[in-house]
Structures are given as structure tokens and as C-alpha cells.
């Protein structure tokens, strides 16, 4: 009986090791992966890449998709139990919180040569790299070419030009510009290009520069050049408004291109986000997800690193970005994509000076973001002045 009990315990131990995978003693023939992609093309293209890179590394990668709202709570729970999946694709603002849990492996052996420095910096926590993005996204200004031509306008480069164009193109049920000021991280993300380009800092939400940026948005809404509904519109909603001809311009990302390009009667151009003055430094937030490796055992971690090397290679980075509507993190691949697809050139141009949302505050970013999007709501929908709304945000 003692020998039988010992045999059972040994079998159970072997089954439990390796993060839930089976096959070899260390479980390194099957790896686990998790992400939150719920829609095409991301959720259809990613499994193919995982299969290809897994085959190169000699492993099978089990893919799991979790709804976005449940994603980080699940990962943090797993991190506290040291049972994170071998590979996780996490939103870049969430990386510091996950790295702080101690459940991630530093990616010291992975080369970042050829990647944009801004993207490499976004994956660091306390000096070590814990996440690397295969591709990123950002925000630029879309404009209706037919409407601009009819009005004799050129795409705006400065805030004054943006305001003038938005007012000139507002007519009937059509607004000059649409942006998302919704009360979520999406609203902060859309506002940050204006906030940072003005010279504002997340460590001081009520600075004169921050007030200047929010005043721009408030003036556009009060002049009826932007709809009051921007406080409820998501980025998908403003894309619908632009496609329907209800907005002559919009602030949006490259992930909208597959949908926009299907509308053959819509002629549009894309330029970088306008800046306060010709001498201002353009700064947009980096969007997109980063690959991370969960702690397990040396064999599994080594296999996960091998898969990750493949996913981050120039050709796979380019393949993924083309499919997902992203910009490759590899500078050569990004230049190649911009040359082959001029629609993406504005997004590629902005990456060099883009900034990770967590660059200033690290794990405290979500608190600042929440205070910021609440201030935007209070100003645009609640009747508060930019100063009042941002001072309240700063107190929080």
C-alpha cells in the first residue's frame, strides 16, 4: 500500500508540473498562450502564427482567448499563484502591474536590435525588459479628401488649422471632426496625443499645458464643430460616423483601415495628429500588445523564448502587422510596410517620438488615466471648465 501511495503521488506530481501541460517531464512539448482578441483579423491570424512558430521551436502552443474585461484579473490571479501561461499577449499599459507581481521572466536573452527605442522602453520595468511588442498601433488624423477638396482646404498641421478646418467643414448634420471622449481608457488614449503634444505631464494633470489641451476639445464641442455625443462614442463609433459622412475628420488608429477600405466611395487621407505650433514636439501614445513569458521551469521558459524569437522576427512581425492593422516594432519592417502601403506612413512617422502610457507613472498609470477621462467627461458633458475639471482630477 505504501508503494502504491508513493506511485500515485509521483504520478500526480508529474501531471501537475509544467504549468498544466503534458507529454515530457518538464511539459515543454506543449506550451500555453493567452490573449484577449475576440474579433477578426487578430483572433484568426494569431493562432496561425503560433502554430508556425511553435513548429519551428518543436512545441505545440495551446491558444486561449479570454474576454478583455476578465483578462487582467485572471492574469494577476495566476501571477500570485505562479501559474501564468507560458506566453501572454498583454496590453502595454498593463505590463508594469504584471511585472511587479514577479510572475514574469525578464527577456534578457532576446535581442531588441532594430526595434524602435520607444517600443523597447515601453516593455521595461525597473530596468529589465519584461515585454516586447511584435507590432504597435497609434493615432493619426483621418480626413475626407472630397470634402477638403470642395472646401479648398489642406490637411491641418497645427491646432489652429485643425480648428479652422473643423468649423469650415461643419454643415447640417455633418461635424468637422470626431474623436472619442468616452469615460474609459479609450478616452484617455484619444486625448493623450493632444495632452502630451501640449507639453503636459500625467504627474500634474492640472498644468497650464493640460488645460490648454482640454480647452481645445471643449472649444470644438462648444463651436459645434464636434458633436456633444463624443462623450459616448467609442473609436468604433467615430469610425462609423466618418464612414457615414457625418464627420469630415476623425482621430483614429490603423486598425480601422480594413473596414474603411471596403467602402469604395469613400476617399480619405491620413496625416499625423496636428500639433499646437510648428515647433512643438509630436507625441502620441503607443497602443498595442506585448509578448511576455510566464515563470515556470528552465525547459519551458527556454521553449517559450524560442517561440517568442520567431514571433518577433522581422518577417513574422511584418506578417502580423499587415494582418492586424499594426505597425511593426522592427524599424526595417515598418519602413518596408510604409513603402508598400502609403496609408500607414503617418503612423510610422509618429512611432519615433511615441511614448508608452506607463512611461511616467508605471503601475500608477491606471489611476491617472481614470482621473483624466473623468475630467474630460466633467468638462465636455458636465459643464465644468477645463481648469475645474483638471484640478479635481489632480486632487484624485
Amino acid at each position: 500500500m505504501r508503494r502504491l501511495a508513493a506511485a500515485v503521488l509521483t504520478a500526480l506530481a508529474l501531471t501537475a508540473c509544467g504549468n498544466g501541460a503534458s507529454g515530457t517531464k518538464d511539459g515543454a512539448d506543449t506550451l500555453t498562450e493567452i490573449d484577449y482578441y475576440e474579433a477578426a483579423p487578430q483572433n484568426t491570424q494569431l493562432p496561425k502564427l503560433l502554430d508556425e512558430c511553435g513548429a519551428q521551436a518543436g512545441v505545440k502552443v495551446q491558444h486561449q482567448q479570454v474576454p478583455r474585461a476578465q483578462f487582467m484579473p485572471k492574469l494577476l490571479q495566476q501571477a500570485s499563484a505562479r501559474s501564468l501561461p507560458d506566453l501572454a499577449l498583454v496590453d502595454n499599459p498593463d505590463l508594469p502591474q504584471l511585472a511587479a507581481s514577479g510572475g514574469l521572466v525578464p527577456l534578457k536573452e532576446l535581442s531588441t536590435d532594430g526595434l524602435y527605442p520607444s517600443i523597447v522602453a515601453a516593455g521595461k520595468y525597473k530596468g529589465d525588459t519584461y515585454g516586447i511588442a511584435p507590432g504597435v498601433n497609434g493615432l493619426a488624423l483621418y480626413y475626407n479628401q472630397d470634402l477638403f477638396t470642395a472646401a479648398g482646404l489642406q490637411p491641418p498641421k497645427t491646432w489652429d488649422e485643425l480648428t479652422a478646418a473643423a468649423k469650415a467643414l461643419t454643415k447640417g448634420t455633418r461635424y468637422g471632426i470626431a474623436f472619442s471622449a468616452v469615460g474609459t481608457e479609450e478616452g484617455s488614449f484619444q486625448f493623450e496625443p493632444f495632452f502630451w503634444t501640449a507639453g503636459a505631464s500625467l504627474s500634474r494633470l492640472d498644468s497650464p499645458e493640460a488645460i490648454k489641451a482640454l480647452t481645445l476639445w471643449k472649444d470644438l464641442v462648444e463651436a459645434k464643430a464636434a458633436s456633444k455625443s463624443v462623450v459616448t462614442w467609442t473609436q468604433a463609433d467615430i469610425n462609423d460616423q466618418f464612414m457615414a459622412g457625418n464627420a469630415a475628420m476623425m482621430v483614429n488608429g490603423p486598425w480601422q483601415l480594413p473596414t474603411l477600405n471596403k467602402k469604395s466611395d469613400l476617399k480619405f487621407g491620413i496625416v499625423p495628429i496636428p500639433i499646437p505650433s510648428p515647433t512643438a514636439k509630436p507625441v502620441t501614445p503607443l497602443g498595442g500588445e506585448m509578448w511576455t513569458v510566464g515563470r515556470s521551469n528552465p525547459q519551458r521558459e527556454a521553449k517559450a523564448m524560442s517561440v517568442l524569437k520567431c514571433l518577433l522576427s522581422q518577417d513574422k512581425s511584418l506578417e502580423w502587422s499587415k494582418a492586424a492593422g499594426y505597425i511593426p516594432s522592427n524599424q526595417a519592417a515598418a519602413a518596408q510596410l510604409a513603402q508598400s502601403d502609403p496609408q500607414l506612413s503617418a503612423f510610422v512617422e509618429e512611432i519615433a517620438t511615441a511614448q508608452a502610457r506607463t512611461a511616467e507613472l508605471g503601475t500608477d498609470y491606471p489611476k491617472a488615466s481614470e482621473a483624466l477621462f473623468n475630467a474630460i467627461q466633467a468638462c465636455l458633458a458636465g459643464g465644468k471648465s477645463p481648469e475645474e475639471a483638471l484640478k479635481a482630477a489632480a486632487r484624485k
Side-chain angles (χ1 to χ4, degrees), residues 114-305:
L115 304 186
Y116 283 97
S118 57
I119 295 174
V120 175
K124 288 185 177 294
Y125 175 74
K126 292 189 175 180
D128 285 325
T129 298
Y130 287 93
I132 301 178
V136 295
N137 58 54
L139 295 168
L141 185 74
Y142 288 73
Y143 67 97
N144 185 305
Q145 291 176 323
D146 287 337
L147 293 176
F148 267 72
T149 299
L153 296 170
Q154 294 296 318
K157 295 181 179 179
T158 66
W159 287 5
D160 286 345
E161 292 174 0
L162 177 69
T163 301
K167 290 179 178 178
L169 293 166
T170 298
K171 185 177 181 181
T173 59
R174 184 185 71 221
Y175 292 94
I177 187 170
F179 46 81
S180 174
V182 69
T184 65
E185 167 64 18
E186 208 165 329
S188 297
F189 181 64
Q190 284 254 319
F191 183 60
E192 282 162 349
F194 302 92
F195 181 85
W196 281 332
T197 299
S201 167
L202 290 172
S203 61
R204 188 187 168 194
L205 295 181
D206 60 347
S207 69
E209 294 82 5
I211 293 169
K212 180 179 179 181
L214 188 51
T215 299
L216 172 69
W217 273 22
K218 186 173 180 64
D219 287 349
L220 287 168
V221 172
E222 288 189 342
K224 298 183 179 179
S227 171
K228 290 182 178 179
S229 296
V230 294
V231 294
T232 63
W233 284 349
T234 65
Q235 293 175 122
D237 293 330
I238 60 176
N239 191 59
D240 290 341
Q241 295 294 327
F242 184 73
M243 289 180 65
N246 296 327
M249 295 180 285
M250 71 168 176
V251 177
N252 226 319
W255 58 85
Q256 305 292 7
L257 286 169
T259 304
L260 289 166
N261 287 330
K262 289 179 182 177
K263 190 171 175 59
S264 57
D265 61 339
L266 176 63
K267 296 180 181 178
F268 63 91
I270 309 170
V271 294
I273 298 287
I275 53 182
S277 69
T279 58
K281 177 187 175 184
V283 185
T284 57
L286 282 173
E289 295 77 26
M290 295 185 167
W291 281 115
T292 62
V293 173
R295 290 191 181 277
S296 53
N297 60 51
Q299 294 89 346
R300 296 181 66 81
E301 291 171 7
K303 286 291 187 180
M305 290 289 186

Side-chain angles (χ1 to χ4, degrees), residues 70-85:
Q70 302 169 23
F71 186 73
M72 275 304 290
K74 181 180 180 69
L75 284 187
L76 291 172
Q77 184 180 32
Q78 291 175 325
S80 66
R82 292 296 185 267
S83 61
L84 279 170

